[in-house]
Amino acid sequence: MTVSLWAVASVHLVLASQSPARLSTLRSAGVQPTVVVSGVDEDAVLAAAGERFGALEPADAVLLLAQAKAEDVARRIEDEEATADMLGVRVAEAVVVGCDSMLELDGEILGKPLDADDAVARWQAMRGKAGVLHTGHWLVDLRDGGVGGTGATLGATSSTVCHFADIDDDEIRAYVATGEPLRVAGAYTIDGLGGPYIDRVEGDHHGVVGISLPLLRELLGEIDVPWRSLRD
């Protein structure tokens, strides 16, 4: 019998995020993940870490939240295996990825804006400047040992410098009025309506969207999962 050198064990990716941009990015790369949204209280996780370790660097904060989300979803899948099967999650083949993003501007960490006024103020502070978009990624390997499962839990952070256009107040208010900035970390997108207002980036633009495909590929490589095993 001839065995293809390209044959690899099937891996089912579970995305522990409700972000449409992350899902779209994975689908564009040929991956069809199952979405299972975590129930993590982000403020509580950060507050607990602050009490234990002191103030966190932005790159560490997003990694901590990504870990909390991925491990929360992994526990739910293992605890509710019958429900997971109905969702199409093959637990014995599942690898969970959790992500979280924050913008660092002038030493301050910025998540999603509180409201439209906050988004306008953010953009007035950001325009003509550069900020760093940090996106934490965390993997939990739930696969059975018989198909190569490692039981590993590991992660890393992608950091990309974004240079913002020096736009006027009318342009800012018109953008905020679309509602898009209210739904995303840093109050902007690079793959949507905010794209014209990002002059350039230094680093992986996928990380700005919310999930770095090269970094995810590297993390999967750490648990011997080739990228091609995720594609349908």
Side-chain angles (χ1 to χ4, degrees), residues 199-229:
D199 282 344
R200 67 186 189 277
V201 300
E202 299 170 33
D204 177 21
H205 77 281
H206 290 112
V208 182
V209 176
I211 185 164
S212 169
L213 298 181
L215 179 54
L216 178 57
R217 176 183 53 79
E218 292 176 7
L219 290 172
L220 288 165
E222 292 291 322
I223 56 174
D224 296 322
V225 174
W227 182 264
R228 65 184 184 277
S229 67

Side-chain angles (χ1 to χ4, degrees), residues 73-131:
V73 167
R75 284 191 296 270
R76 288 168 54 196
I77 290 174
E78 290 182 312
D79 291 344
E80 303 174 16
E81 187 165 341
T83 301
D85 287 340
M86 286 189 291
L87 290 171
V89 179
R90 298 181 293 275
V91 179
E93 301 173 357
V95 175
V96 180
V97 58
C99 300
D100 191 82
S101 300
M102 294 181 183
L103 176 68
E104 180 182 5
L105 183 75
D106 295 334
E108 184 179 359
I109 300 176
L110 303 174
K112 295 178 183 178
L114 299 174
D115 52 29
D117 289 341
D118 188 30
V120 168
R122 293 269 191 94
W123 264 99
Q124 288 172 334
M126 289 159 44
R127 60 185 171 191
K129 295 183 178 180

Side-chain angles (χ1 to χ4, degrees), residues 23-215:
L23 178 59
S24 177
T25 298
L26 288 168
R27 285 177 171 171
S28 294
V31 182
Q32 297 293 335
T34 295
V35 175
V36 181
V37 181
S38 78
V40 168
D41 183 333
E42 298 182 19
D43 291 339
V45 170
L46 292 176
E51 290 180 2
R52 184 175 180 184
F53 303 112
L56 297 178
E57 293 295 323
D60 296 326
V62 292
L63 188 60
L64 177 67
L65 290 175
Q67 178 182 7
K69 293 175 182 180
E71 294 185 345
D72 176 69
V73 167
R75 284 191 296 270
R76 288 168 54 196
I77 290 174
E78 290 182 312
D79 291 344
E80 303 174 16
E81 187 165 341
T83 301
D85 287 340
M86 286 189 291
L87 290 171
V89 179
R90 298 181 293 275
V91 179
E93 301 173 357
V95 175
V96 180
V97 58
C99 300
D100 191 82
S101 300
M102 294 181 183
L103 176 68
E104 180 182 5
L105 183 75
D106 295 334
E108 184 179 359
I109 300 176
L110 303 174
K112 295 178 183 178
L114 299 174
D115 52 29
D117 289 341
D118 188 30
V120 168
R122 293 269 191 94
W123 264 99
Q124 288 172 334
M126 289 159 44
R127 60 185 171 191
K129 295 183 178 180
V132 182
L133 199 289
H134 301 282
T135 298
H137 302 64
W138 199 273
L139 293 185
V140 179
D141 187 359
L142 296 179
R143 297 173 299 153
D144 284 346
V147 294
T150 64
T153 176
L154 71 162
T157 297
S158 164
S159 298
T160 301
V161 178
C162 297
H163 294 264
F164 303 107
D166 190 6
I167 56 178
D168 61 29
D169 287 348
D170 288 341
E171 194 75 25
I172 289 173
R173 293 191 184 95
Y175 177 43
V176 171
T178 68
E180 183 183 80
L182 304 179
R183 301 189 293 268
V184 290
Y188 72 97
T189 67
I190 195 172
D191 59 329
L193 300 178
Y197 310 128
I198 310 302
D199 282 344
R200 67 186 189 277
V201 300
E202 299 170 33
D204 177 21
H205 77 281
H206 290 112
V208 182
V209 176
I211 185 164
S212 169
L213 298 181
L215 179 54

